[in-house]
Amino acid sequence: MPQFVSTPLSIPVIAHGVADPLGQRIELHRWAVDQGLCGATAHDLFAGFCQRLSAMGVPLWRAYAAVETLHPQWWGFGFTWQRGLTFIKLAQYGHGHAVTPSWTGGVFHHLAKRAEAGEANPCIRRHLARGPQERDFPALERFFAAGATDYLAELFDSRRKSGASSGLGVVYSFMTDRPDGFGEGDAGLLHAVLPALALAMKARAGQINASRLLEVYLGEDAGQRVRAGEVGRGSVESRSAVLWYADIRGFTTIADAAPAHDLVDLLNDVFETLTASLREHGGQVLKFVGDGMLATLPLEEGNRMESCRQALDAAAAATRAIDALNVTRLAAGKLRATVDLALHVGDVLFGNVGAVDRLDFTMIGPAVNEVSRIEALCAPLGRRVLVSAELAATAGLKSGRLMSVGRHGLRGVREEREIYTLLY
């Protein structure tokens, strides 16, 4: 189901006095290009465009634009402008929207099919007031009942060339409630300038898609750094960090006996549960490695103790959440998992490492190796959460939350280390 949010409409300052149709087209075309080059948001682009149309005498009653996106949660975003309102209605559509009857039986799906068949920028016009034959889609009947008399829609999509969705399609619809509908000059103006508006909105959508995908695949911090230009191989910085490493106990045994799709379902549930606990305490996932997860939490130099306590809180919350998840999955007859978790604090190098044509934004250093070695002790010690002596000391041993489980050797580390477990 789409989620709707109303956002304030900023009324633009419009230059009046453009009398000839060619001048109107040039003005709107130049404005759309300038706004696109300046990086205007899709919201402001569409709002400004509709206001300018109205100021030029186009009898616009309602207008709508939708932009596809590349996001694991959202399929696209919609913007609704209506005469007399001081806000734009924003809608977010989940991926399930593309299979709902309202979409598959609608005008935009019809245009998308024509685009897939090779038609460039398919469009339709329906004179709604001329009779039922002009209202051949359910939405058109609803618009007519609300007062619309004329309807125009056009799709700009790259499916025609690529054969698949690029995630950057843009669709528009415009309606008037004037008894005799849009004038031919109005329709001609829309068809002439919409390509420039679509290009500007697609450019903005591409920027947003790139930013979101960087954050989805690299994490918020790393994604922002790459977007800001930190792309050189070997470009790293030294920092202190709280490290979190989680792993599913006995995953190889589980994988040998379970169907692949069931494993993916288990991993998704476990990773989402762990990540949710991290989010609540300011943590970020750096990477998923098989059934393991490496994450970091911010280490504030002025309050290192509180940062480490936040990490302990996140670990306790994650353990409780995994227990609740297993109860739910057991009731549904699904696979369950025991998750082992280790916490450590130390100095790391954070940045770009890899080959010239394949880089990874990652953390390296002894502390990263050590946290994975600590996690490997969870099963032998019968504990689900283990904490390094460094993090325990920083968090405060007198808090009563931590108990020593002795000194243990870590593979690749010379001296034995004191290891602690989290009591609650």
Side-chain angles (χ1 to χ4, degrees), residues 229-247:
E230 294 186 31
V231 295
R233 185 167 66 135
S235 174
V236 297
E237 69 172 23
S238 178
R239 61 162 61 174
S240 295
V242 175
L243 301 174
W244 155 306
Y245 186 74
D247 189 77

mmCIF file of all heavy atoms in Angstrom, residues 229-247:
data_model
loop_
_atom_site.group_PDB
_atom_site.id
_atom_site.type_symbol
_atom_site.label_atom_id
_atom_site.label_comp_id
_atom_site.label_asym_id
_atom_site.label_seq_id
_atom_site.Cartn_x
_atom_site.Cartn_y
_atom_site.Cartn_z
ATOM 1 N N GLY A 229 33.597 11.498 -2.732
ATOM 2 C CA GLY A 229 34.803 11.466 -3.558
ATOM 3 C C GLY A 229 35.940 10.637 -3.022
ATOM 4 O O GLY A 229 37.021 10.605 -3.632
ATOM 5 N N GLU A 230 35.753 9.924 -1.913
ATOM 6 C CA GLU A 230 36.820 9.085 -1.375
ATOM 7 C C GLU A 230 36.824 7.749 -2.111
ATOM 8 O O GLU A 230 36.340 6.736 -1.612
ATOM 9 C CB GLU A 230 36.629 8.874 0.130
ATOM 10 C CG GLU A 230 36.775 10.150 0.942
ATOM 11 C CD GLU A 230 36.724 9.898 2.438
ATOM 12 O OE1 GLU A 230 37.153 8.806 2.870
ATOM 13 O OE2 GLU A 230 36.231 10.773 3.163
ATOM 14 N N VAL A 231 37.375 7.769 -3.323
ATOM 15 C CA VAL A 231 37.316 6.582 -4.182
ATOM 16 C C VAL A 231 38.697 6.078 -4.580
ATOM 17 O O VAL A 231 38.807 5.116 -5.335
ATOM 18 C CB VAL A 231 36.486 6.881 -5.458
ATOM 19 C CG1 VAL A 231 35.036 7.157 -5.099
ATOM 20 C CG2 VAL A 231 37.067 8.070 -6.233
ATOM 21 N N GLY A 232 39.745 6.722 -4.108
ATOM 22 C CA GLY A 232 41.084 6.295 -4.482
ATOM 23 C C GLY A 232 41.507 5.034 -3.757
ATOM 24 O O GLY A 232 41.321 4.902 -2.547
ATOM 25 N N ARG A 233 42.092 4.098 -4.499
ATOM 26 C CA ARG A 233 42.574 2.860 -3.884
ATOM 27 C C ARG A 233 43.682 3.195 -2.886
ATOM 28 O O ARG A 233 44.595 3.967 -3.177
ATOM 29 C CB ARG A 233 43.111 1.901 -4.945
ATOM 30 C CG ARG A 233 43.514 0.547 -4.376
ATOM 31 C CD ARG A 233 43.746 -0.473 -5.460
ATOM 32 N NE ARG A 233 44.877 -0.150 -6.299
ATOM 33 C CZ ARG A 233 45.810 -1.037 -6.677
ATOM 34 N NH1 ARG A 233 45.727 -2.284 -6.272
ATOM 35 N NH2 ARG A 233 46.788 -0.681 -7.468
ATOM 36 N N GLY A 234 43.579 2.623 -1.684
ATOM 37 C CA GLY A 234 44.551 2.903 -0.636
ATOM 38 C C GLY A 234 44.240 4.141 0.170
ATOM 39 O O GLY A 234 44.988 4.487 1.081
ATOM 40 N N SER A 235 43.098 4.789 -0.148
ATOM 41 C CA SER A 235 42.690 5.964 0.621
ATOM 42 C C SER A 235 42.027 5.487 1.904
ATOM 43 O O SER A 235 40.875 5.067 1.907
ATOM 44 C CB SER A 235 41.716 6.821 -0.197
ATOM 45 O OG SER A 235 41.201 7.879 0.582
ATOM 46 N N VAL A 236 42.763 5.523 3.017
ATOM 47 C CA VAL A 236 42.255 5.017 4.295
ATOM 48 C C VAL A 236 42.553 6.027 5.388
ATOM 49 O O VAL A 236 43.414 6.905 5.237
ATOM 50 C CB VAL A 236 42.879 3.648 4.659
ATOM 51 C CG1 VAL A 236 42.515 2.584 3.647
ATOM 52 C CG2 VAL A 236 44.397 3.775 4.785
ATOM 53 N N GLU A 237 41.845 5.906 6.479
ATOM 54 C CA GLU A 237 42.104 6.733 7.652
ATOM 55 C C GLU A 237 42.124 5.843 8.887
ATOM 56 O O GLU A 237 41.444 4.820 8.941
ATOM 57 C CB GLU A 237 41.057 7.826 7.804
ATOM 58 C CG GLU A 237 39.671 7.337 8.168
ATOM 59 C CD GLU A 237 38.717 8.479 8.489
ATOM 60 O OE1 GLU A 237 38.951 9.602 8.032
ATOM 61 O OE2 GLU A 237 37.730 8.210 9.207
ATOM 62 N N SER A 238 42.905 6.234 9.872
ATOM 63 C CA SER A 238 42.983 5.507 11.131
ATOM 64 C C SER A 238 41.924 6.051 12.083
ATOM 65 O O SER A 238 41.732 7.273 12.163
ATOM 66 C CB SER A 238 44.375 5.656 11.740
ATOM 67 O OG SER A 238 44.446 4.982 12.985
ATOM 68 N N ARG A 239 41.230 5.147 12.745
ATOM 69 C CA ARG A 239 40.220 5.570 13.713
ATOM 70 C C ARG A 239 40.054 4.500 14.789
ATOM 71 O O ARG A 239 40.378 3.325 14.569
ATOM 72 C CB ARG A 239 38.884 5.807 13.029
ATOM 73 C CG ARG A 239 38.315 4.575 12.340
ATOM 74 C CD ARG A 239 36.827 4.687 12.032
ATOM 75 N NE ARG A 239 36.522 5.782 11.136
ATOM 76 C CZ ARG A 239 35.298 5.989 10.648
ATOM 77 N NH1 ARG A 239 34.303 5.168 11.004
ATOM 78 N NH2 ARG A 239 35.062 6.981 9.823
ATOM 79 N N SER A 240 39.540 4.922 15.923
ATOM 80 C CA SER A 240 39.157 3.972 16.970
ATOM 81 C C SER A 240 37.685 3.637 16.781
ATOM 82 O O SER A 240 36.883 4.519 16.434
ATOM 83 C CB SER A 240 39.387 4.573 18.361
ATOM 84 O OG SER A 240 40.758 4.805 18.582
ATOM 85 N N ALA A 241 37.342 2.390 17.000
ATOM 86 C CA ALA A 241 35.964 1.978 16.741
ATOM 87 C C ALA A 241 35.544 0.851 17.675
ATOM 88 O O ALA A 241 36.378 0.069 18.149
ATOM 89 C CB ALA A 241 35.808 1.521 15.291
ATOM 90 N N VAL A 242 34.247 0.801 17.938
ATOM 91 C CA VAL A 242 33.652 -0.359 18.587
ATOM 92 C C VAL A 242 33.297 -1.341 17.483
ATOM 93 O O VAL A 242 32.603 -0.988 16.525
ATOM 94 C CB VAL A 242 32.390 0.027 19.380
ATOM 95 C CG1 VAL A 242 31.729 -1.226 19.951
ATOM 96 C CG2 VAL A 242 32.738 0.998 20.499
ATOM 97 N N LEU A 243 33.769 -2.555 17.590
ATOM 98 C CA LEU A 243 33.541 -3.580 16.574
ATOM 99 C C LEU A 243 32.560 -4.608 17.092
ATOM 100 O O LEU A 243 32.623 -5.032 18.254
ATOM 101 C CB LEU A 243 34.864 -4.258 16.209
ATOM 102 C CG LEU A 243 35.964 -3.330 15.666
ATOM 103 C CD1 LEU A 243 37.247 -4.108 15.486
ATOM 104 C CD2 LEU A 243 35.531 -2.688 14.365
ATOM 105 N N TRP A 244 31.665 -5.012 16.204
ATOM 106 C CA TRP A 244 30.621 -5.987 16.523
ATOM 107 C C TRP A 244 30.707 -7.054 15.455
ATOM 108 O O TRP A 244 30.656 -6.759 14.263
ATOM 109 C CB TRP A 244 29.290 -5.242 16.503
ATOM 110 C CG TRP A 244 28.041 -6.012 16.224
ATOM 111 C CD1 TRP A 244 27.774 -6.823 15.164
ATOM 112 C CD2 TRP A 244 26.840 -5.973 17.004
ATOM 113 N NE1 TRP A 244 26.514 -7.304 15.226
ATOM 114 C CE2 TRP A 244 25.914 -6.800 16.345
ATOM 115 C CE3 TRP A 244 26.461 -5.329 18.178
ATOM 116 C CZ2 TRP A 244 24.621 -6.985 16.826
ATOM 117 C CZ3 TRP A 244 25.184 -5.520 18.644
ATOM 118 C CH2 TRP A 244 24.275 -6.332 17.996
ATOM 119 N N TYR A 245 30.857 -8.309 15.877
ATOM 120 C CA TYR A 245 30.889 -9.403 14.905
ATOM 121 C C TYR A 245 29.915 -10.477 15.344
ATOM 122 O O TYR A 245 29.999 -10.996 16.462
ATOM 123 C CB TYR A 245 32.300 -10.004 14.786
ATOM 124 C CG TYR A 245 32.391 -11.041 13.689
ATOM 125 C CD1 TYR A 245 32.411 -10.665 12.350
ATOM 126 C CD2 TYR A 245 32.424 -12.394 13.995
ATOM 127 C CE1 TYR A 245 32.470 -11.609 11.343
ATOM 128 C CE2 TYR A 245 32.493 -13.355 13.000
ATOM 129 C CZ TYR A 245 32.511 -12.951 11.665
ATOM 130 O OH TYR A 245 32.562 -13.895 10.671
ATOM 131 N N ALA A 246 28.988 -10.822 14.459
ATOM 132 C CA ALA A 246 27.970 -11.834 14.763
ATOM 133 C C ALA A 246 28.052 -12.950 13.735
ATOM 134 O O ALA A 246 28.386 -12.720 12.568
ATOM 135 C CB ALA A 246 26.584 -11.203 14.759
ATOM 136 N N ASP A 247 27.711 -14.150 14.175
ATOM 137 C CA ASP A 247 27.801 -15.311 13.292
ATOM 138 C C ASP A 247 26.774 -16.339 13.753
ATOM 139 O O ASP A 247 26.511 -16.480 14.959
ATOM 140 C CB ASP A 247 29.220 -15.900 13.370
ATOM 141 C CG ASP A 247 29.457 -16.966 12.318
ATOM 142 O OD1 ASP A 247 29.666 -16.584 11.159
ATOM 143 O OD2 ASP A 247 29.442 -18.162 12.672
#
